[in-house]
Amino acid sequence: MEEFFGYAGKILRVNLENKTSTIENLNRDDARMYLGGAGLSAKILYTELQKGVDPLSPENKIIFSTGPLTATAAPGSGSVNLCFKSPLTGIWGEARSGSDWGPMLRKAGFDILIIEGHSSNPVYLVIENDKIEIHDAFEIVGLTTSQKTSYLKQKLGKDFEIAAIGPAGENKVFYSSVMFGEGSRAAGRTGAGALLGSKNLLSIAVKGNGKIPVAHPQEFYSSCRESSQKLLSNPDNLGLKLNGTTGDLGKCDNAGDWPTKNWHSNSWGKGEELYDRFKKHNLVGSHGCYKGCILFCGRIAKVESGKWKTPVHEGAEYESISAFTAFIMNDDMDAAVHATYLCNEYGLDTISTGAAIAFAMECYEKGILSKSDFDGLNMDWGNMDSTIEMIGKIARREGIGDILADGVKKASKVIGKGSEEFAINVKGLEGAAHDPRSGKALALTYGVGNIGMSHIHPIEGMAYDAYKVDFGLIPYGLEDPKQVDRFEEKGKGKTSKLLHDFGVIPDVIGLCKFYIYAGLTPDDISKTLSTLTGWDIDGKELLKIGERIYNLQRMFDIREGISRKDDEIPQRVKKVPDFGKYATVPESAIQNYDAMLEEYYIARGWDLNGVPKPEKLRELGLNWIKQ
């Protein structure tokens, strides 16, 4: 049989209902069309899931997927993507994490793991090469993510890599996460933890010793060395090791890219001060999320003593810290570090948790909810005693936490009284810690995102127009960002289409997305892929694959009822900020979002209701999809 270069070549399918597993061959034609990761997962889920399936029913499936670069010498190749129908949004769900778990799945012999059905009792799954076992998990019920990880490593062996949900996942909080590493790396967005909780699968341990076959070893390793040298020789990338993403607090605050007080503003004026405090008192060092990382953006943090004493741990990244500072108007960095640590231990998405608490604080401020609704907690802005209590209540679905655990969109429908106006979300997913009033391309990332209001799925639009990153796309038709006004709206639709096509690619090939921010271009990636797989892939085809997958995920959403009305962004996010540096900058407001959206649809080959036209689907090889 012809060798399948760049792939383990196998899919593992586990059915929790009858406690069985089967091993299937990976379809080569599908691999060539969709490459891997979120691409192959989209093909599988679109084909195998029925329209309207309840996300928390046994009929829903969750896929743990790697890409062709995962577990190879390519820099940045430590990813796993989780894909499913989201319990939070009811549409395409996707979350990515870096760790050694994804590479280990490939070493065990599998490109993809599909979890089906529902176990009648709590279980954990053990994968050791082709030995697959399902064990009762009563002894780890209720443990935190790091406790589950520690217990299973002690029981099975320290060489196993562990994926685990925490109490929030067991309680099916709609934005609960799956944690990797030592319970510190999150596949956080859209509720994968709740899906595993609904299936009674608390953890997955994996170990393997296989290798991925390489088509042209000499050329492949040469390409990997060239990419590594390019990344390491860029002086800007040293900042990732020194300051990580948390070091962007001041920059984003200054640029109007820091959502503040539940999006009342896009700046606070405290970003630099807070980071300086973090660097002096909380930062221990840097860490790579997997063994081959060369950028080391991960933060090791602590709170040495006092009320918020927190052990040394990996976390306290930009998004998480922002969710527990600017989102809720808290300037106690020790308390913010402690809050992000608790979220990881409970298995909660830090972004959605911070957003839910910001929403609750505004309900309290406006008198929509009272102290009695919060079991006596004072929910004034910045109150961290109450915030810490509320994190636990959400994780346990206790009191008002049970309502907030469903996300701000659903919570606002229950609470009513005008709270819908400030439940900041798109398609049910809470907004992340970047603001489109800093760079208008981000408005479209949020609006048309297949998972909802995520900054990184598929790409941070404001990185292009506000921070002038071109991603190596100028040869492919991207206007030079240095010539683009960040507040200009015309042209951002066409630009965003290209940015999104490329932004999908890391989640398809198993590459950490930060590596394209750090300098890897379509040409770099296509060269590495070609020498790995033996396929002749150039940058143009790579972008076409990205376009194909973006449209396939869009069709998944359309099948679930998504249309143009769902691509709207909240009114508050469009308006001139209520306070802060940009309150006197009227051009920061998003003035004609509809025109941007229509320009995007036209560039995509979609109709004016946001549906890909039949000829576009044919062009992309997606004519098998029924419309």
Side-chain angles (χ1 to χ4, degrees):
M1 185 178 178
E2 182 185 357
E3 194 158 14
F4 199 170
F5 294 112
Y7 292 85
K10 301 292 182 182
I11 295 172
L12 174 61
R13 192 181 293 265
V14 174
N15 188 300
L16 297 172
E17 196 78 32
N18 52 29
K19 307 292 194 295
T20 61
S21 63
T22 55
I23 296 174
E24 306 166 9
N25 290 325
L26 180 64
N27 185 290
R28 290 170 183 257
D29 292 336
D30 283 348
R32 187 67 178 84
M33 283 279 285
Y34 307 102
L35 292 181
L40 276 172
S41 297
K43 171 69 186 305
I44 293 168
L45 289 175
Y46 192 95
T47 303
E48 297 189 6
L49 289 186
Q50 294 294 315
K51 172 184 177 181
V53 65
D54 180 346
L56 295 182
S57 71
E59 289 72 35
N60 198 9
K61 306 180 184 189
I62 183 168
I63 299 179
F64 293 71
S65 55
T66 66
L69 294 189
T70 309
T72 71
S77 55
S79 289
V80 61
N81 277 77
L82 280 58
C83 301
F84 47 95
K85 183 178 179 181
S86 166
L88 179 64
T89 65
I91 56 172
W92 177 255
E94 182 182 338
R96 176 255 172 210
S97 178
S99 70
D100 288 304
W101 196 96
M104 193 64 85
L105 182 67
R106 291 256 280 179
K107 292 176 183 178
F110 305 105
D111 298 299
I112 287 174
L113 166 65
I114 304 174
I115 304 293
E116 303 175 329
H118 161 83
S119 173
S120 58
N121 61 285
V123 295
Y124 65 89
L125 174 65
V126 180
I127 304 167
E128 186 172 6
N129 293 314
D130 58 358
K131 181 183 176 183
I132 316 299
E133 297 178 339
I134 299 173
H135 297 268
D136 288 342
F138 293 110
E139 66 269 31
I140 61 173
V141 170
L143 297 183
T144 68
T145 59
S146 67
Q147 288 170 342
K148 284 186 175 80
T149 299
S150 178
Y151 179 91
L152 290 175
K153 278 181 171 282
Q154 187 174 18
K155 183 171 184 175
L156 301 173
K158 64 180 181 180
D159 293 336
F160 276 87
E161 290 297 323
I162 310 296
I165 62 172
E170 294 179 41
N171 291 322
K172 296 182 277 295
V173 175
F174 283 5
Y175 44 86
S176 51
S177 56
V178 178
M179 303 300 294
F180 298 85
E182 301 302 314
S184 61
R185 306 301 305 187
R189 310 242 63 193
T190 70
L195 187 49
L196 287 188
S198 74
K199 294 183 176 302
N200 253 334
L201 178 60
L202 307 191
S203 186
I204 304 172
V206 60
K207 178 182 175 182
N209 55 17
K211 293 184 178 180
I212 302 302
V214 178
H216 306 294
Q218 185 173 344
E219 293 89 341
F220 173 69
Y221 293 117
S222 175
S223 175
C224 293
R225 284 192 297 271
E226 288 174 8
S227 292
S228 295
Q229 289 166 2
K230 178 179 182 180
L231 292 161
L232 292 172
S233 64
N234 184 341
D236 292 340
N237 292 340
L238 180 61
L240 281 172
K241 184 174 183 179
L242 294 177
N243 301 307
T245 59
T246 320
D248 287 342
L249 290 175
K251 179 181 77 171
C252 294
D253 188 8
N254 188 57
D257 189 28
W258 208 29
T260 300
K261 198 179 181 184
N262 199 27
W263 298 79
H264 275 286
S265 183
N266 61 346
S267 67
W268 194 15
K270 294 189 177 186
E272 290 185 12
E273 169 194 338
L274 288 174
Y275 181 68
D276 288 345
R277 199 177 306 165
F278 173 80
K279 190 171 184 178
K280 182 180 290 187
H281 298 290
N282 305 113
L283 181 62
V284 176
S286 62
H287 180 67
C289 69
Y290 81 106
K291 291 185 177 69
C293 180
I294 62 175
L295 293 182
F296 284 81
C297 76
R299 300 299 86 192
I300 306 297
K302 67 176 181 179
V303 178
E304 187 70 44
S305 60
K307 185 177 187 178
W308 307 118
K309 185 176 180 180
T310 309
V312 174
H313 67 285
E314 186 178 354
E317 309 294 352
Y318 168 84
E319 290 287 337
S320 302
I321 289 295
S322 296
F324 290 103
T325 54
F327 275 25
I328 61 173
M329 302 291 281
N330 160 55
D331 60 5
D332 184 339
M333 186 56 83
D334 285 354
V337 170
H338 188 69
T340 69
Y341 169 76
L342 285 181
C343 284
N344 283 352
E345 288 293 292
Y346 283 125
L348 284 168
D349 175 31
T350 53
I351 298 172
S352 287
T353 304
I357 292 173
F359 167 78
M361 286 179 171
E362 186 156 354
C363 286
Y364 185 78
E365 178 187 48
K366 286 180 162 56
I368 294 171
L369 295 175
S370 66
K371 188 177 286 190
S372 62
D373 293 310
F374 292 103
D375 296 328
L377 295 179
N378 180 334
M379 293 301 292
D380 284 337
W381 291 105
N383 188 319
M384 289 307 291
D385 292 290
S386 297
T387 293
I388 296 303
E389 288 290 325
M390 192 54 59
I391 290 171
K393 286 180 177 293
I394 290 170
R396 295 186 294 271
R397 281 190 171 272
E398 191 177 280
I400 193 72
D402 187 33
I403 295 173
L404 296 176
D406 287 346
V408 300
K409 182 178 180 179
K410 293 183 175 72
S412 70
K413 290 181 178 178
V414 173
I415 295 167
K417 299 180 182 179
S419 64
E420 298 91 341
E421 293 180 13
F422 53 87
I424 306 300
N425 74 91
V426 174
K427 301 181 178 76
L429 181 66
E430 292 77 13
H434 288 286
D435 198 302
R437 291 169 289 191
S438 68
K440 302 295 179 65
L442 182 61
L444 287 168
T445 297
Y446 281 153
V448 300
N450 286 321
I451 72 168
M453 202 173 175
S454 169
H455 64 299
I456 203 74
H457 285 86
I459 204 165
E460 294 170 312
M462 83 292 159
Y464 164 74
D465 52 8
Y467 302 124
K468 310 305 179 186
V469 181
D470 66 37
F471 300 101
L473 291 170
I474 291 176
Y476 296 94
L478 187 75
E479 186 176 357
D480 186 343
K482 295 183 178 65
Q483 307 302 317
V484 172
D485 183 343
R486 63 177 175 142
F487 294 136
E488 176 60 56
E489 296 180 4
K490 188 176 181 181
K492 297 295 172 69
K494 182 179 178 182
T495 293
S496 294
K497 184 265 183 191
L498 183 56
L499 289 170
H500 294 175
D501 288 347
F502 185 48
V504 169
I505 291 299
D507 298 324
V508 169
I509 62 175
L511 176 70
C512 169
K513 198 158 288 187
F514 284 172
Y515 280 70
I516 67 171
Y517 290 84
L520 292 187
T521 68
D523 294 340
D524 298 323
I525 295 169
S526 57
K527 180 179 180 181
T528 302
L529 271 177
S530 295
T531 55
L532 171 65
T533 62
W535 297 329
D536 185 14
I537 300 173
D538 60 14
K540 184 177 180 181
E541 184 183 355
L542 194 67
L543 293 170
K544 182 61 69 175
I545 292 171
E547 183 181 10
R548 176 180 300 128
I549 292 159
Y550 198 87
N551 277 267
L552 176 53
Q553 294 174 358
R554 177 72 176 189
M555 291 303 296
F556 183 99
D557 285 354
I558 287 169
R559 187 171 66 176
E560 297 300 330
I562 292 298
S563 65
R564 178 173 178 146
K565 70 181 188 308
D566 303 290
D567 291 341
E568 184 58 75
I569 63 174
Q571 289 302 311
R572 180 177 289 183
V573 177
K574 296 178 182 179
K575 65 192 285 286
V576 175
D578 292 340
F579 61 88
K581 179 179 177 180
Y582 291 85
T584 56
V585 183
E587 59 265 36
S588 67
I590 298 167
Q591 300 173 34
N592 198 343
Y593 178 74
D594 282 346
M596 293 174 66
L597 190 61
E598 288 192 10
E599 184 184 290
Y600 184 86
Y601 286 175
I602 291 167
R604 274 257 172 250
W606 296 356
D607 66 24
L608 293 184
N609 201 35
V611 179
K613 296 178 180 178
E615 55 267 31
K616 172 54 68 173
L617 295 180
R618 284 195 298 271
E619 174 195 324
L620 296 173
L622 297 175
N623 46 307
W624 54 269
I625 294 176
K626 295 179 180 178
Q627 285 188 285

